[in-house]
PDB file of all heavy atoms in Angstrom:
ATOM      1  N   ALA A1102     -21.555 182.063 -63.935  1.00 86.00           N
ATOM      2  CA  ALA A1102     -22.119 183.390 -64.416  1.00 86.00           C
ATOM      3  C   ALA A1102     -21.109 184.171 -65.206  1.00 86.00           C
ATOM      4  O   ALA A1102     -21.545 184.890 -66.172  1.00 86.00           O
ATOM      5  CB  ALA A1102     -22.793 184.099 -63.359  1.00 86.00           C
ATOM      6  N   LEU A1103     -19.908 184.143 -64.822  1.00 83.00           N
ATOM      7  CA  LEU A1103     -18.832 185.023 -65.386  1.00 83.00           C
ATOM      8  C   LEU A1103     -17.743 184.145 -66.231  1.00 83.00           C
ATOM      9  O   LEU A1103     -16.841 184.818 -66.698  1.00 83.00           O
ATOM     10  CB  LEU A1103     -18.158 185.785 -64.281  1.00 83.00           C
ATOM     11  CG  LEU A1103     -18.974 186.870 -63.502  1.00 83.00           C
ATOM     12  CD1 LEU A1103     -18.264 187.565 -62.504  1.00 83.00           C
ATOM     13  CD2 LEU A1103     -19.627 187.828 -64.561  1.00 83.00           C
ATOM     14  N   GLY A1104     -17.963 182.898 -66.201  1.00 75.00           N
ATOM     15  CA  GLY A1104     -16.879 182.175 -66.901  1.00 75.00           C
ATOM     16  C   GLY A1104     -15.660 182.163 -66.062  1.00 75.00           C
ATOM     17  O   GLY A1104     -15.689 182.145 -64.869  1.00 75.00           O
ATOM     18  N   ASP A1105     -14.485 182.164 -66.624  1.00 53.00           N
ATOM     19  CA  ASP A1105     -13.192 181.862 -66.050  1.00 53.00           C
ATOM     20  C   ASP A1105     -12.756 183.218 -65.281  1.00 53.00           C
ATOM     21  O   ASP A1105     -12.074 183.279 -64.296  1.00 53.00           O
ATOM     22  CB  ASP A1105     -12.112 181.502 -66.950  1.00 53.00           C
ATOM     23  CG  ASP A1105     -12.288 180.035 -67.332  1.00 53.00           C
ATOM     24  OD1 ASP A1105     -12.931 179.290 -66.718  1.00 53.00           O
ATOM     25  OD2 ASP A1105     -11.843 179.810 -68.567  1.00 53.00           O
ATOM     26  N   GLU A1106     -13.299 184.363 -65.803  1.00 51.00           N
ATOM     27  CA  GLU A1106     -12.963 185.679 -65.182  1.00 51.00           C
ATOM     28  C   GLU A1106     -13.902 186.075 -63.959  1.00 51.00           C
ATOM     29  O   GLU A1106     -14.580 187.078 -64.095  1.00 51.00           O
ATOM     30  CB  GLU A1106     -12.847 186.694 -66.331  1.00 51.00           C
ATOM     31  CG  GLU A1106     -12.007 186.423 -67.485  1.00 51.00           C
ATOM     32  CD  GLU A1106     -10.623 186.247 -67.085  1.00 51.00           C
ATOM     33  OE1 GLU A1106     -10.196 187.054 -66.183  1.00 51.00           O
ATOM     34  OE2 GLU A1106      -9.815 185.414 -67.599  1.00 51.00           O
ATOM     35  N   THR A1107     -13.893 185.394 -62.940  1.00 45.00           N
ATOM     36  CA  THR A1107     -14.833 185.605 -61.857  1.00 45.00           C
ATOM     37  C   THR A1107     -14.203 186.712 -61.053  1.00 45.00           C
ATOM     38  O   THR A1107     -15.073 187.453 -60.356  1.00 45.00           O
ATOM     39  CB  THR A1107     -14.972 184.223 -60.910  1.00 45.00           C
ATOM     40  OG1 THR A1107     -13.721 184.009 -60.401  1.00 45.00           O
ATOM     41  CG2 THR A1107     -15.416 183.196 -61.801  1.00 45.00           C
ATOM     42  N   GLY A1108     -13.058 186.831 -60.856  1.00 43.00           N
ATOM     43  CA  GLY A1108     -12.385 187.849 -59.968  1.00 43.00           C
ATOM     44  C   GLY A1108     -12.875 187.656 -58.518  1.00 43.00           C
ATOM     45  O   GLY A1108     -12.889 188.499 -57.740  1.00 43.00           O
ATOM     46  N   SER A1109     -13.184 186.392 -58.127  1.00 43.00           N
ATOM     47  CA  SER A1109     -13.656 186.064 -56.860  1.00 43.00           C
ATOM     48  C   SER A1109     -12.449 186.199 -55.858  1.00 43.00           C
ATOM     49  O   SER A1109     -11.289 186.061 -56.216  1.00 43.00           O
ATOM     50  CB  SER A1109     -14.094 184.538 -56.782  1.00 43.00           C
ATOM     51  OG  SER A1109     -14.328 184.173 -55.480  1.00 43.00           O
ATOM     52  N   THR A1110     -12.806 186.567 -54.626  1.00 41.00           N
ATOM     53  CA  THR A1110     -11.783 186.627 -53.602  1.00 41.00           C
ATOM     54  C   THR A1110     -11.401 185.314 -52.952  1.00 41.00           C
ATOM     55  O   THR A1110     -10.582 185.191 -52.079  1.00 41.00           O
ATOM     56  CB  THR A1110     -12.321 187.525 -52.384  1.00 41.00           C
ATOM     57  OG1 THR A1110     -13.602 187.008 -51.896  1.00 41.00           O
ATOM     58  CG2 THR A1110     -12.640 188.908 -52.992  1.00 41.00           C
ATOM     59  N   ARG A1111     -12.147 184.172 -53.291  1.00 42.00           N
ATOM     60  CA  ARG A1111     -11.777 182.915 -52.753  1.00 42.00           C
ATOM     61  C   ARG A1111     -10.408 182.447 -53.195  1.00 42.00           C
ATOM     62  O   ARG A1111      -9.975 182.732 -54.305  1.00 42.00           O
ATOM     63  CB  ARG A1111     -12.892 181.862 -53.161  1.00 42.00           C
ATOM     64  CG  ARG A1111     -14.285 182.191 -52.504  1.00 42.00           C
ATOM     65  CD  ARG A1111     -15.296 181.173 -52.969  1.00 42.00           C
ATOM     66  NE  ARG A1111     -16.530 181.383 -52.160  1.00 42.00           N
ATOM     67  CZ  ARG A1111     -17.426 182.173 -52.488  1.00 42.00           C
ATOM     68  NH1 ARG A1111     -17.497 182.891 -53.500  1.00 42.00           N
ATOM     69  NH2 ARG A1111     -18.533 182.200 -51.661  1.00 42.00           N
ATOM     70  N   ASP A1112      -9.896 181.785 -52.204  1.00 40.00           N
ATOM     71  CA  ASP A1112      -8.416 181.307 -52.582  1.00 40.00           C
ATOM     72  C   ASP A1112      -8.419 180.262 -53.538  1.00 40.00           C
ATOM     73  O   ASP A1112      -9.268 179.464 -53.854  1.00 40.00           O
ATOM     74  CB  ASP A1112      -7.882 180.757 -51.134  1.00 40.00           C
ATOM     75  CG  ASP A1112      -7.784 181.803 -50.066  1.00 40.00           C
ATOM     76  OD1 ASP A1112      -7.632 182.933 -50.406  1.00 40.00           O
ATOM     77  OD2 ASP A1112      -7.783 181.342 -48.893  1.00 40.00           O
ATOM     78  N   SER A1113      -7.205 180.228 -54.239  1.00 40.00           N
ATOM     79  CA  SER A1113      -6.913 179.233 -55.201  1.00 40.00           C
ATOM     80  C   SER A1113      -5.452 178.770 -55.040  1.00 40.00           C
ATOM     81  O   SER A1113      -4.659 179.472 -54.461  1.00 40.00           O
ATOM     82  CB  SER A1113      -7.249 179.691 -56.689  1.00 40.00           C
ATOM     83  OG  SER A1113      -6.340 180.775 -56.886  1.00 40.00           O
ATOM     84  N   ALA A1114      -5.291 177.429 -55.454  1.00 39.00           N
ATOM     85  CA  ALA A1114      -3.856 176.908 -55.323  1.00 39.00           C
ATOM     86  C   ALA A1114      -3.303 176.578 -56.617  1.00 39.00           C
ATOM     87  O   ALA A1114      -4.038 176.060 -57.572  1.00 39.00           O
ATOM     88  CB  ALA A1114      -3.892 175.785 -54.295  1.00 39.00           C
ATOM     89  N   VAL A1115      -2.015 176.607 -56.792  1.00 40.00           N
ATOM     90  CA  VAL A1115      -1.312 176.284 -57.962  1.00 40.00           C
ATOM     91  C   VAL A1115      -0.194 175.231 -57.651  1.00 40.00           C
ATOM     92  O   VAL A1115       0.588 175.479 -56.784  1.00 40.00           O
ATOM     93  CB  VAL A1115      -0.667 177.429 -58.630  1.00 40.00           C
ATOM     94  CG1 VAL A1115       0.172 176.930 -59.971  1.00 40.00           C
ATOM     95  CG2 VAL A1115      -1.671 178.501 -59.057  1.00 40.00           C
ATOM     96  N   ALA A1116      -0.397 173.977 -58.240  1.00 43.00           N
ATOM     97  CA  ALA A1116       0.630 172.903 -57.792  1.00 43.00           C
ATOM     98  C   ALA A1116       1.721 172.975 -58.898  1.00 43.00           C
ATOM     99  O   ALA A1116       1.282 172.957 -60.121  1.00 43.00           O
ATOM    100  CB  ALA A1116      -0.042 171.657 -57.690  1.00 43.00           C
ATOM    101  N   VAL A1117       2.932 172.957 -58.613  1.00 46.00           N
ATOM    102  CA  VAL A1117       3.995 172.980 -59.577  1.00 46.00           C
ATOM    103  C   VAL A1117       4.837 171.654 -59.370  1.00 46.00           C
ATOM    104  O   VAL A1117       5.161 171.235 -58.333  1.00 46.00           O
ATOM    105  CB  VAL A1117       4.969 174.169 -59.327  1.00 46.00           C
ATOM    106  CG1 VAL A1117       6.150 174.127 -60.290  1.00 46.00           C
ATOM    107  CG2 VAL A1117       4.241 175.454 -59.378  1.00 46.00           C
ATOM    108  N   VAL A1118       4.839 170.964 -60.544  1.00 46.00           N
ATOM    109  CA  VAL A1118       5.668 169.586 -60.524  1.00 46.00           C
ATOM    110  C   VAL A1118       6.869 169.746 -61.394  1.00 46.00           C
ATOM    111  O   VAL A1118       6.761 170.225 -62.564  1.00 46.00           O
ATOM    112  CB  VAL A1118       4.705 168.487 -60.913  1.00 46.00           C
ATOM    113  CG1 VAL A1118       5.525 167.164 -60.975  1.00 46.00           C
ATOM    114  CG2 VAL A1118       3.417 168.387 -60.056  1.00 46.00           C
ATOM    115  N   ALA A1119       8.035 169.292 -60.889  1.00 49.00           N
ATOM    116  CA  ALA A1119       9.137 169.316 -61.754  1.00 49.00           C
ATOM    117  C   ALA A1119       8.995 168.453 -62.987  1.00 49.00           C
ATOM    118  O   ALA A1119       8.473 167.402 -62.934  1.00 49.00           O
ATOM    119  CB  ALA A1119      10.316 168.948 -60.889  1.00 49.00           C
ATOM    120  N   ALA A1120       9.496 168.877 -64.138  1.00 54.00           N
ATOM    121  CA  ALA A1120       9.340 168.166 -65.361  1.00 54.00           C
ATOM    122  C   ALA A1120       9.985 166.898 -65.326  1.00 54.00           C
ATOM    123  O   ALA A1120       9.585 165.906 -66.024  1.00 54.00           O
ATOM    124  CB  ALA A1120       9.884 169.087 -66.512  1.00 54.00           C
ATOM    125  N   ASP A1121      11.143 166.734 -64.499  1.00 59.00           N
ATOM    126  CA  ASP A1121      11.802 165.335 -64.497  1.00 59.00           C
ATOM    127  C   ASP A1121      11.444 164.549 -63.357  1.00 59.00           C
ATOM    128  O   ASP A1121      12.050 163.573 -63.146  1.00 59.00           O
ATOM    129  CB  ASP A1121      13.317 165.672 -64.424  1.00 59.00           C
ATOM    130  CG  ASP A1121      13.752 166.431 -63.126  1.00 59.00           C
ATOM    131  OD1 ASP A1121      12.856 167.107 -62.560  1.00 59.00           O
ATOM    132  OD2 ASP A1121      14.922 166.462 -62.877  1.00 59.00           O
ATOM    133  N   ASP A1122      10.345 164.806 -62.665  1.00 61.00           N
ATOM    134  CA  ASP A1122       9.891 164.086 -61.451  1.00 61.00           C
ATOM    135  C   ASP A1122       8.371 163.961 -61.618  1.00 61.00           C
ATOM    136  O   ASP A1122       7.501 164.499 -60.846  1.00 61.00           O
ATOM    137  CB  ASP A1122      10.237 164.886 -60.147  1.00 61.00           C
ATOM    138  CG  ASP A1122      10.195 164.002 -58.993  1.00 61.00           C
ATOM    139  OD1 ASP A1122       9.823 162.728 -59.149  1.00 61.00           O
ATOM    140  OD2 ASP A1122      10.408 164.435 -57.944  1.00 61.00           O
ATOM    141  N   PRO A1123       7.961 162.940 -62.514  1.00 74.00           N
ATOM    142  CA  PRO A1123       6.474 162.811 -62.716  1.00 74.00           C
ATOM    143  C   PRO A1123       5.693 162.308 -61.512  1.00 74.00           C
ATOM    144  O   PRO A1123       4.525 162.559 -61.372  1.00 74.00           O
ATOM    145  CB  PRO A1123       6.499 161.812 -63.906  1.00 74.00           C
ATOM    146  CG  PRO A1123       7.754 161.006 -63.742  1.00 74.00           C
ATOM    147  CD  PRO A1123       8.757 161.939 -63.245  1.00 74.00           C
ATOM    148  N   ILE A1124       6.266 161.621 -60.632  1.00 83.00           N
ATOM    149  CA  ILE A1124       5.657 161.181 -59.403  1.00 83.00           C
ATOM    150  C   ILE A1124       6.447 161.705 -58.292  1.00 83.00           C
ATOM    151  O   ILE A1124       7.587 161.533 -58.017  1.00 83.00           O
ATOM    152  CB  ILE A1124       5.575 159.650 -59.319  1.00 83.00           C
ATOM    153  CG1 ILE A1124       4.922 158.974 -60.522  1.00 83.00           C
ATOM    154  CG2 ILE A1124       4.972 159.155 -58.137  1.00 83.00           C
ATOM    155  CD1 ILE A1124       3.453 159.339 -60.740  1.00 83.00           C
ATOM    156  N   ALA A1125       5.669 162.360 -57.300  1.00 84.00           N
ATOM    157  CA  ALA A1125       6.247 163.075 -56.175  1.00 84.00           C
ATOM    158  C   ALA A1125       5.390 162.898 -54.969  1.00 84.00           C
ATOM    159  O   ALA A1125       4.114 163.227 -55.154  1.00 84.00           O
ATOM    160  CB  ALA A1125       6.583 164.397 -56.434  1.00 84.00           C
TER     161      ALA A1125
END
């Protein structure tokens, strides 16, 4: 309904992978 700007309170996660370590 709102596209990407939902402003939802539900949790989200961000995974960060080192550029020199493609498989971890």
Side-chain angles (χ1 to χ4, degrees):
L1103 292 182
D1105 293 333
E1106 302 300 325
T1107 64
S1109 172
T1110 59
R1111 290 180 169 85
D1112 295 334
S1113 61
V1115 178
V1117 179
V1118 179
D1121 61 345
D1122 196 1
I1124 301 299

